[in-house]
PDB file of all heavy atoms in Angstrom:
ATOM      1  N   VAL A  51     -42.753   9.719  19.701  1.00  0.00           N
ATOM      2  CA  VAL A  51     -41.857   8.675  19.122  1.00  0.00           C
ATOM      3  C   VAL A  51     -41.176   8.090  20.190  1.00  0.00           C
ATOM      4  O   VAL A  51     -40.516   6.976  20.127  1.00  0.00           O
ATOM      5  CB  VAL A  51     -40.720   9.411  18.260  1.00  0.00           C
ATOM      6  CG1 VAL A  51     -41.326   9.770  16.909  1.00  0.00           C
ATOM      7  CG2 VAL A  51     -40.183  10.700  18.954  1.00  0.00           C
ATOM      8  N   PHE A 110     -45.681  17.697  15.170  1.00  0.00           N
ATOM      9  CA  PHE A 110     -44.330  17.051  15.001  1.00  0.00           C
ATOM     10  C   PHE A 110     -43.535  17.438  16.234  1.00  0.00           C
ATOM     11  O   PHE A 110     -42.754  16.619  16.687  1.00  0.00           O
ATOM     12  CB  PHE A 110     -43.714  17.462  13.672  1.00  0.00           C
ATOM     13  CG  PHE A 110     -44.223  16.693  12.448  1.00  0.00           C
ATOM     14  CD1 PHE A 110     -45.091  17.387  11.512  1.00  0.00           C
ATOM     15  CD2 PHE A 110     -43.801  15.352  12.178  1.00  0.00           C
ATOM     16  CE1 PHE A 110     -45.461  16.594  10.338  1.00  0.00           C
ATOM     17  CE2 PHE A 110     -44.208  14.620  11.217  1.00  0.00           C
ATOM     18  CZ  PHE A 110     -44.999  15.204  10.264  1.00  0.00           C
ATOM     19  N   GLU A 113     -44.292  15.406  19.040  1.00  0.00           N
ATOM     20  CA  GLU A 113     -43.745  14.054  19.019  1.00  0.00           C
ATOM     21  C   GLU A 113     -42.292  14.087  19.413  1.00  0.00           C
ATOM     22  O   GLU A 113     -41.827  13.181  20.097  1.00  0.00           O
ATOM     23  CB  GLU A 113     -43.899  13.702  17.547  1.00  0.00           C
ATOM     24  CG  GLU A 113     -45.057  13.017  17.205  1.00  0.00           C
ATOM     25  CD  GLU A 113     -45.254  12.354  15.862  1.00  0.00           C
ATOM     26  OE1 GLU A 113     -44.194  12.224  15.104  1.00  0.00           O
ATOM     27  OE2 GLU A 113     -46.352  11.902  15.361  1.00  0.00           O
ATOM     28  N   PHE A 114     -41.593  15.041  18.774  1.00  0.00           N
ATOM     29  CA  PHE A 114     -40.091  15.085  19.067  1.00  0.00           C
ATOM     30  C   PHE A 114     -39.688  15.361  20.453  1.00  0.00           C
ATOM     31  O   PHE A 114     -38.639  14.964  21.160  1.00  0.00           O
ATOM     32  CB  PHE A 114     -39.396  16.160  18.245  1.00  0.00           C
ATOM     33  CG  PHE A 114     -39.568  16.076  16.687  1.00  0.00           C
ATOM     34  CD1 PHE A 114     -39.595  17.212  15.823  1.00  0.00           C
ATOM     35  CD2 PHE A 114     -39.839  14.805  16.138  1.00  0.00           C
ATOM     36  CE1 PHE A 114     -39.750  16.975  14.431  1.00  0.00           C
ATOM     37  CE2 PHE A 114     -40.109  14.637  14.817  1.00  0.00           C
ATOM     38  CZ  PHE A 114     -39.928  15.762  13.932  1.00  0.00           C
ATOM     39  N   SER A 366     -43.534  18.647   8.131  1.00  0.00           N
ATOM     40  CA  SER A 366     -42.449  17.804   8.704  1.00  0.00           C
ATOM     41  C   SER A 366     -41.103  18.402   8.317  1.00  0.00           C
ATOM     42  O   SER A 366     -40.134  18.431   9.187  1.00  0.00           O
ATOM     43  CB  SER A 366     -42.517  16.309   8.063  1.00  0.00           C
ATOM     44  OG  SER A 366     -41.345  15.682   8.192  1.00  0.00           O
ATOM     45  N   ALA A 369     -40.665  21.433  10.960  1.00  0.00           N
ATOM     46  CA  ALA A 369     -40.599  20.940  12.274  1.00  0.00           C
ATOM     47  C   ALA A 369     -39.144  20.290  12.534  1.00  0.00           C
ATOM     48  O   ALA A 369     -38.640  20.486  13.592  1.00  0.00           O
ATOM     49  CB  ALA A 369     -41.698  20.069  12.680  1.00  0.00           C
ATOM     50  N   THR A 370     -38.815  19.516  11.611  1.00  0.00           N
ATOM     51  CA  THR A 370     -37.463  18.721  11.779  1.00  0.00           C
ATOM     52  C   THR A 370     -36.353  19.718  11.701  1.00  0.00           C
ATOM     53  O   THR A 370     -35.567  19.667  12.658  1.00  0.00           O
ATOM     54  CB  THR A 370     -37.338  17.819  10.564  1.00  0.00           C
ATOM     55  OG1 THR A 370     -38.447  16.956  10.485  1.00  0.00           O
ATOM     56  CG2 THR A 370     -36.131  16.902  10.759  1.00  0.00           C
ATOM     57  N   GLY A 371     -36.504  20.757  10.827  1.00  0.00           N
ATOM     58  CA  GLY A 371     -35.531  21.734  10.872  1.00  0.00           C
ATOM     59  C   GLY A 371     -35.423  22.565  12.145  1.00  0.00           C
ATOM     60  O   GLY A 371     -34.288  22.819  12.788  1.00  0.00           O
ATOM     61  N   PHE A 373     -36.265  21.625  15.123  1.00  0.00           N
ATOM     62  CA  PHE A 373     -35.870  20.853  16.292  1.00  0.00           C
ATOM     63  C   PHE A 373     -34.387  20.577  16.271  1.00  0.00           C
ATOM     64  O   PHE A 373     -33.753  20.597  17.333  1.00  0.00           O
ATOM     65  CB  PHE A 373     -36.613  19.405  16.210  1.00  0.00           C
ATOM     66  CG  PHE A 373     -36.486  18.775  17.493  1.00  0.00           C
ATOM     67  CD1 PHE A 373     -37.183  19.060  18.718  1.00  0.00           C
ATOM     68  CD2 PHE A 373     -35.559  17.548  17.489  1.00  0.00           C
ATOM     69  CE1 PHE A 373     -37.057  18.316  19.737  1.00  0.00           C
ATOM     70  CE2 PHE A 373     -35.417  16.784  18.718  1.00  0.00           C
ATOM     71  CZ  PHE A 373     -36.188  17.172  19.849  1.00  0.00           C
ATOM     72  N   ASN A 374     -33.807  20.439  15.065  1.00  0.00           N
ATOM     73  CA  ASN A 374     -32.312  19.894  15.044  1.00  0.00           C
ATOM     74  C   ASN A 374     -31.392  20.955  14.398  1.00  0.00           C
ATOM     75  O   ASN A 374     -30.223  20.776  14.565  1.00  0.00           O
ATOM     76  CB  ASN A 374     -32.261  18.657  14.087  1.00  0.00           C
ATOM     77  CG  ASN A 374     -32.145  17.503  14.862  1.00  0.00           C
ATOM     78  OD1 ASN A 374     -32.007  17.428  16.147  1.00  0.00           O
ATOM     79  ND2 ASN A 374     -32.131  16.396  14.191  1.00  0.00           N
ATOM     80  N   ASP A 375     -31.911  22.030  13.815  1.00  0.00           N
ATOM     81  CA  ASP A 375     -30.989  22.793  13.075  1.00  0.00           C
ATOM     82  C   ASP A 375     -31.080  24.190  13.617  1.00  0.00           C
ATOM     83  O   ASP A 375     -32.181  24.932  13.549  1.00  0.00           O
ATOM     84  CB  ASP A 375     -31.449  22.798  11.627  1.00  0.00           C
ATOM     85  CG  ASP A 375     -30.654  23.568  10.538  1.00  0.00           C
ATOM     86  OD1 ASP A 375     -29.845  24.543  10.958  1.00  0.00           O
ATOM     87  OD2 ASP A 375     -30.696  23.285   9.466  1.00  0.00           O
ATOM     88  N   LYS A 385     -34.158  21.204  20.319  1.00  0.00           N
ATOM     89  CA  LYS A 385     -33.379  20.261  20.975  1.00  0.00           C
ATOM     90  C   LYS A 385     -32.394  20.898  21.994  1.00  0.00           C
ATOM     91  O   LYS A 385     -32.287  20.447  23.237  1.00  0.00           O
ATOM     92  CB  LYS A 385     -32.511  19.478  20.152  1.00  0.00           C
ATOM     93  CG  LYS A 385     -32.200  18.020  20.547  1.00  0.00           C
ATOM     94  CD  LYS A 385     -31.734  17.148  19.470  1.00  0.00           C
ATOM     95  CE  LYS A 385     -30.407  17.564  18.858  1.00  0.00           C
ATOM     96  NZ  LYS A 385     -30.039  16.512  17.779  1.00  0.00           N
TER      97      LYS A 385
HETATM   98  C1  NAG B 409     -32.056  14.981  14.876  1.00  0.00           C
HETATM   99  O1  NAG B 409     -30.850  14.588  14.692  1.00  0.00           O
HETATM  100  C2  NAG B 409     -30.392  13.388  15.229  1.00  0.00           C
HETATM  101  C3  NAG B 409     -29.057  13.022  15.044  1.00  0.00           C
HETATM  102  O2  NAG B 409     -28.523  13.470  13.969  1.00  0.00           O
HETATM  103  C4  NAG B 409     -31.390  12.286  14.694  1.00  0.00           C
HETATM  104  O3  NAG B 409     -31.063  11.026  15.369  1.00  0.00           O
HETATM  105  C5  NAG B 409     -32.862  12.682  15.024  1.00  0.00           C
HETATM  106  O4  NAG B 409     -33.673  11.762  14.384  1.00  0.00           O
HETATM  107  C6  NAG B 409     -33.018  14.094  14.504  1.00  0.00           C
HETATM  108  N1  NAG B 409     -34.362  14.402  14.927  1.00  0.00           N
HETATM  109  C7  NAG B 409     -35.268  14.883  14.165  1.00  0.00           C
HETATM  110  C8  NAG B 409     -36.595  15.347  14.683  1.00  0.00           C
HETATM  111  O5  NAG B 409     -35.020  15.071  12.927  1.00  0.00           O
END
Side-chain angles (χ1 to χ4, degrees):
V51 284
F110 279 109
E113 281 188 5
F114 301 157
S366 162
T370 306
F373 193 75
N374 255 355
D375 185 341
K385 204 163 68 177

